[in-house]
Amino acid sequence: MRYKISTAYYYGLSFLLIVLMYPFFIWPHLRPALLASSTTFILLVFLVSKISEARFFLFIYVFFSIFTYRHLQGASISGATLLALTTASLILLNKDQLLSLFKVFVRLYAFLLLPGIVIWALHVLTGDFSIFKIGELTGSNVLDMNKANNGNHYSIFPFSTRIEPIYTPGFYRFQGFLDEPGLLGTFSALILTANQFSLKKNHQKIILVSGLISFSFAFYVLSAIYFILNLTSKSNYSNKVRTIFFLGSLIALIYYFIPDVLYDTIVRRFTLVDGSIAGDNRATDSLNKAFLHWLSAPSLHEFLFGIEYTSDGSASWKQIPVNAGAIGTILLFSVYFFYTLSFHFSTLNNYQFITFILTFVASIYQRPGIDGVIYFFIFLAGMAL
């Protein structure tokens, strides 16, 4: 007998995916929260999966590749196994299940962002940043210990956070329930790109607004890349015109009220400084030196399996080969490559399909966490839409 999967099931999976985005409310209990959510997610996916031989072999390959990559990065065997199983389990969802899950996830993501957007607007308009403040997270309760060690802590509001101290008087960048604006901007840009930047639904407009007020360089760059790549495409022309008009109107509105902020956080970062783009600042000197050391590694072992490198707050593609070596890098990218090859050539020749892939690849430059469940989930959904 065939059972219809309920909407509640997809909302349950979507909430678990939100937890796997490392929202602030799990930081004080990070390990047990991730363990519980990952285990539950795997079990729920297996309950509805009908595993074909081809899908099973792809599941095994994704599991092996992600496990090896994470273990080379220093994760324990149990930790690498759990992450790899969670990521690989997404392969077991068929296209209809994957798309249903993505649609519900996007709605839930937008719903959780909305209260924070309203609070952010109240703060900026009134200048009172204490409105709706419900507490703080400090020290070991902060997700990124590099920030804690640098003297940062977080103010907590319903469904949103803010990094303290604030360096721009009367203003701060929106980051929702995540730990920094750049991460929110990257996720929002990729979700919108996967949906071909459709703004027909209110929740899609909410996600667009969240990306804009995050003032994330990644959000603006990825959005620009998507639209530039689509200039020559005649498909959905009217939708593109509406989207560009709406996007342009919001940017103009932001510039009207806070021109200095828009210039400092976005426009200035497109300028050239010492021969490179100012916004290309996610790799520290320490990481750059480690990357050069890996390229000229004195031993074959270091080149193949990576070198010892302690994270110092960098977020760059260079972390992938430095931490996991040539073998880990090849395995990680092969997961995406072989999944892409599983599509029919006529699909691969689709302009929207190619545009999404190129935008996703561009996101890796400053956000190398593509071994994570959320990145893989958005990629699979974007390929299926």
Side-chain angles (χ1 to χ4, degrees):
M1 186 174 178
R2 196 173 179 180
Y3 294 93
K4 184 179 180 181
I5 302 174
S6 68
T7 303
Y9 171 83
Y10 289 119
Y11 270 105
L13 283 184
S14 295
F15 176 75
L16 294 174
L17 286 170
I18 292 292
V19 172
L20 293 174
M21 297 175 80
Y22 296 73
F24 73 91
F25 51 81
I26 72 165
W27 295 354
H29 311 285
L30 188 63
R31 288 182 181 275
L34 293 177
L35 176 61
S37 57
S38 295
T39 305
T40 306
F41 186 86
I42 294 166
L43 292 174
L44 288 176
V45 169
F46 269 88
L47 280 176
V48 301
S49 298
K50 292 185 177 180
I51 307 173
S52 65
E53 185 176 346
R55 195 175 292 270
F56 175 75
F57 281 114
L58 188 56
F59 166 82
I60 294 297
Y61 184 79
V62 172
F63 169 77
F64 170 77
S65 299
I66 298 296
F67 170 82
T68 304
Y69 174 77
R70 291 295 296 180
H71 193 48
L72 286 173
Q73 280 201 319
S76 65
I77 291 178
S78 59
T81 299
L82 188 63
L83 177 64
L85 274 175
T86 310
T87 305
S89 66
L90 290 166
I91 291 291
L92 302 179
L93 296 172
N94 62 39
K95 181 178 178 179
D96 291 338
Q97 292 168 345
L98 185 65
L99 292 181
S100 296
L101 176 58
F102 185 67
K103 289 176 182 177
V104 171
F105 169 79
V106 171
R107 291 194 199 103
L108 182 59
Y109 176 72
F111 175 78
L112 294 176
L113 290 176
L114 184 57
I117 292 174
V118 174
I119 292 170
W120 177 89
L122 287 173
H123 287 174
V124 173
L125 291 173
T126 64
D128 183 358
F129 288 2
S130 65
I131 297 175
F132 289 113
K133 182 175 177 179
I134 56 177
E136 293 186 347
L137 287 173
T138 61
S140 60
N141 288 329
V142 172
L143 178 64
D144 185 350
M145 290 310 299
N146 285 307
K147 288 186 176 69
N149 294 334
N150 289 332
N152 296 119
H153 63 279
Y154 288 77
S155 290
I156 303 302
F157 306 88
F159 300 100
S160 64
T161 66
R162 182 180 70 227
I163 299 176
E164 304 283 2
I166 299 171
Y167 297 105
T168 304
F171 176 83
Y172 65 93
R173 295 166 59 193
F174 179 68
Q175 60 195 52
F177 52 83
L178 302 175
D179 82 314
E180 64 174 42
L183 190 60
L184 173 76
T186 302
F187 283 140
S188 293
L190 290 177
I191 289 170
L192 289 169
T193 303
N195 272 313
Q196 300 176 24
F197 252 92
S198 172
L199 298 177
K200 295 178 181 178
K201 305 291 186 180
N202 287 331
H203 63 265
Q204 295 167 331
K205 294 183 179 71
I206 291 170
I207 294 172
L208 173 64
V209 170
S210 77
L212 289 171
I213 64 175
S214 74
F215 292 90
S216 160
F217 188 61
F219 178 84
Y220 284 82
V221 168
L222 293 176
S223 300
I225 289 173
Y226 177 82
F227 284 112
I228 290 171
L229 290 173
N230 267 285
L231 284 177
T232 58
S233 171
K234 296 181 180 179
S235 61
N236 296 322
Y237 182 77
S238 60
N239 181 56
K240 277 191 290 187
V241 171
R242 287 195 301 270
T243 301
I244 293 174
F245 176 78
F246 185 73
L247 185 63
S249 299
L250 286 176
I251 293 175
L253 190 65
I254 290 171
Y255 182 75
Y256 177 80
F257 284 105
I258 41 179
D260 293 340
V261 171
L262 187 64
Y263 177 81
D264 289 339
T265 56
I266 303 299
V267 178
R268 182 186 60 79
R269 298 179 74 186
F270 280 100
T271 60
L272 291 176
V273 177
D274 297 328
S276 61
I277 297 176
D280 185 13
N281 60 352
R282 301 293 292 179
T284 62
D285 290 339
S286 176
L287 177 60
N288 287 329
K289 290 177 182 178
F291 179 70
L292 291 175
H293 176 78
W294 173 77
L295 281 178
S296 57
S299 71
L300 181 62
H301 184 273
E302 284 187 326
F303 179 76
L304 292 178
F305 300 104
I307 62 177
E308 288 188 15
Y309 169 74
T310 303
S311 176
D312 58 355
S314 294
S316 167
W317 65 273
K318 294 177 182 178
Q319 290 172 271
I320 296 175
V322 166
N323 287 324
I327 288 179
T329 302
I330 291 170
L331 285 173
L332 178 62
F333 282 99
S334 70
V335 166
Y336 289 88
F337 179 73
F338 286 131
Y339 185 79
T340 303
L341 287 185
S342 68
F343 285 78
H344 192 271
F345 177 76
S346 61
T347 305
L348 294 176
N349 203 33
N350 181 285
Y351 200 86
Q352 291 293 339
F353 194 89
I354 295 171
T355 300
F356 171 70
I357 292 175
L358 292 177
T359 307
F360 186 89
V361 170
S363 74
I364 301 170
Y365 188 76
Q366 289 193 344
R367 293 288 166 181
I370 58 169
D371 59 307
V373 179
I374 299 301
Y375 283 98
F376 193 56
F377 171 59
I378 295 174
F379 181 80
L380 298 189
M383 300 283 278
L385 282 167

